[in-house]
Amino acid sequence: MDHRYESSETLRNKCAACYRQFNKKEHLVEHMRTSYHSVHEPMCGVCKKHCRSFESLREHLIGPLPKAECERTFKERGCDICLSILGSRSSLRAHRESCLSRPNNNGLLYRMANLGIQDELRIDNSRGRVVALACKMVGGGSDGSLDLCGRVCLIDEHERILFHSYIKPNIPVTNYRYEMTGIRPEYLRDAMPLRNVSRKIQEFLCNGEPIWQIRSKGGRSRILVGHGLDHDLKCLEMDYPAIKMRDTAKYPPLMKTSKLSNSLKYLTKAYIGYDIQIGVQDPYEDCVATMKLYMRMKLSQFHKKENYPLATDPQNKNNFAPWRQNELERMTPDQLLDFSRSDYYCWCLDAQDY
């Protein structure tokens, strides 16, 4: 509805982020208290509506019931990869060429890594602050359904391979899942034991810093990017602090509207622009995909800088405290949004830190 035809009372009780309307101001305050709207949410480039995820934004623009004005503008000059709105169709053509990414084969180094011969990994400050990890699983147990890590890859932020090796699991493999993994029994027979691989990777990630001293900001430890990292680290029998992990399966802007995880295959096609995991799967390909997603979320989101961006920061604990109810109800929707903070760590903050 056009704001010019809305009553002042309706506007007074309308959320400035998601545009939801409430009958009473106290209901709007309660909504702001629990919604965690912030400058870090995906936002429509036409009407400026905040969405919880890029999937929600996509539905708003081109879903079954899109907003007519936003749909029309997006069809004319909107990028279907990053969902941004450009100033003209010519700008859109130039933008889309740079927005549409392509897989990186990394030449001879990539082919050598496929042979499993790049297995040196040393503590080295010159090798980047961000790395991506991916594993491929073979099966164990009587029915072959137990996931065992059979292959692992680690790359830096420039998509260069740091470590790529087959792994000899601690228990017998009963299903090599060859059609998906491409792994044969002879590849694992003399492979590096799981314990050695885990130790090498953990030492590289910690980068000389004791794991119990790792902090969210500063220090020497590295940021770890991946998809389903909890599962990968469990299969590697390895620990790493959650504050240093960037998981594309759990990052709220990349999740489904139902708050479930999207597959890496879908995310890569939708937000990077190419297909992966066709035929035999390679962990290097998954590493590159997650790193591209991370870098896009980190560098292409131009959010307003805040000193204390998280709702969990101590400085924000009383923003919507119940004892402030009367004061909050006297505020405008824009004022309420100004000091509302995010309930998740936006990856754009990594760019500010480094």
Side-chain angles (χ1 to χ4, degrees):
M1 183 185 295
D2 193 315
H3 287 191
R4 292 174 298 178
Y5 302 104
E6 294 178 304
S7 69
S8 59
E9 185 65 24
T10 300
L11 286 174
R12 205 173 81 88
N13 300 335
K14 182 176 181 178
C15 176
C18 67
Y19 300 159
R20 184 177 172 186
Q21 295 180 341
F22 298 88
N23 292 328
K24 296 182 179 180
K25 191 61 173 288
E26 63 190 86
H27 298 158
L28 171 60
V29 171
E30 182 59 28
H31 165 74
M32 296 301 295
R33 183 177 285 131
T34 59
S35 65
Y36 300 102
H37 288 309
S38 76
V39 297
H40 299 285
E41 292 176 304
M43 186 173 66
C44 175
V46 182
C47 69
K48 309 306 179 185
K49 177 183 178 179
H50 292 228
C51 298
R52 185 62 180 175
S53 67
F54 284 102
E55 288 295 286
S56 298
L57 177 56
R58 195 180 294 275
E59 287 188 6
H60 168 76
L61 293 169
I62 53 175
L65 296 171
K67 185 176 179 182
E69 180 187 353
C70 299
E71 180 187 31
R72 182 174 62 254
T73 304
F74 184 78
K75 284 183 176 179
E76 289 178 357
R77 43 192 173 86
C79 176
D80 60 341
I81 301 296
C82 67
L83 305 182
S84 57
I85 307 293
L86 282 298
S88 65
R89 290 183 178 179
S90 59
S91 298
L92 172 61
R93 285 192 294 270
H95 164 85
R96 200 173 187 283
E97 184 62 30
S98 62
C99 196
L100 192 63
S101 189
R102 291 173 176 81
N104 181 5
N105 287 333
N106 225 8
L108 179 61
L109 190 60
Y110 175 80
R111 292 194 293 274
M112 290 170 62
N114 277 341
L115 297 174
I117 63 174
Q118 190 164 335
D119 56 8
E120 290 298 322
L121 191 63
R122 299 184 181 90
I123 294 174
D124 181 356
N125 280 326
S126 67
R127 304 185 79 174
R129 299 293 303 274
V130 182
V131 297
L133 177 142
C135 301
K136 289 302 170 187
M137 307 297 171
V138 292
S142 58
D143 60 354
S145 63
L146 178 65
D147 282 346
L148 305 173
C149 189
R151 194 176 179 190
V152 65
C153 182
L154 203 67
I155 68 168
D156 66 13
E157 52 207 293
H158 304 292
E159 302 170 14
R160 296 176 301 211
I161 296 168
L162 300 170
F163 183 78
H164 196 153
S165 178
Y166 292 109
I167 299 175
K168 187 175 184 178
N170 292 332
I171 64 174
V173 177
T174 55
N175 183 357
Y176 286 87
R177 305 174 184 174
Y178 176 76
E179 293 77 12
M180 183 175 68
T181 67
I183 296 176
R184 299 180 184 275
E186 57 267 28
Y187 295 172
L188 305 188
R189 192 170 297 129
D190 298 316
M192 190 181 298
L194 176 63
R195 184 182 297 109
N196 294 11
V197 171
S198 301
R199 187 182 69 250
K200 276 177 174 280
I201 293 176
Q202 187 168 64
E203 288 177 353
F204 182 77
L205 293 175
C206 293
N207 200 25
E209 193 171 2
I211 194 168
W212 60 87
Q213 291 183 4
I214 291 176
R215 307 179 303 280
S216 59
K217 296 182 180 180
R220 299 174 59 190
S221 59
R222 294 179 164 92
I223 290 173
L224 178 62
V225 178
H227 188 83
L229 281 172
D230 289 340
H231 179 253
D232 284 352
L233 294 183
K234 179 182 178 181
C235 291
L236 285 168
E237 299 182 4
M238 194 185 102
D239 293 320
Y240 200 60
I243 54 175
K244 283 290 188 176
M245 290 161 56
R246 307 290 182 261
D247 195 334
T248 56
K250 296 169 66 175
Y251 188 49
L254 291 177
M255 296 178 77
K256 297 179 182 179
T257 53
S258 60
K259 298 184 180 180
L260 297 174
S261 298
N262 278 301
S263 69
L264 180 58
K265 184 181 180 71
Y266 170 80
L267 292 175
T268 306
K269 181 64 174 177
Y271 300 108
I272 304 299
Y274 66 86
D275 291 301
I276 64 168
Q277 299 179 349
I278 300 171
V280 174
Q281 299 178 17
D282 192 298
Y284 172 77
E285 183 181 56
D286 290 359
C287 281
V288 170
T290 55
M291 185 61 80
K292 285 181 183 293
L293 284 165
Y294 169 74
M295 297 302 284
R296 175 150 293 177
M297 294 296 109
K298 171 183 169 181
L299 299 176
S300 66
Q301 308 299 308
F302 304 105
H303 299 148
K304 173 185 171 185
K305 187 172 182 179
E306 300 164 323
N307 290 330
Y308 305 103
L310 297 176
T312 52
D313 289 332
Q315 294 80 359
N316 297 322
K317 67 178 182 179
N318 290 323
N319 283 7
F320 289 96
W323 55 265
R324 296 186 63 184
Q325 185 69 22
N326 291 335
E327 176 192 356
L328 293 169
E329 290 182 21
R330 290 194 296 271
M331 291 184 180
T332 67
D334 286 329
Q335 288 173 328
L336 291 172
L337 179 59
D338 279 343
F339 65 83
S340 181
R341 292 296 182 265
S342 175
D343 60 343
Y344 65 88
Y345 181 89
C346 181
W347 293 349
C348 78
L349 300 174
D350 287 345
Q352 296 176 15
D353 288 343
Y354 296 114

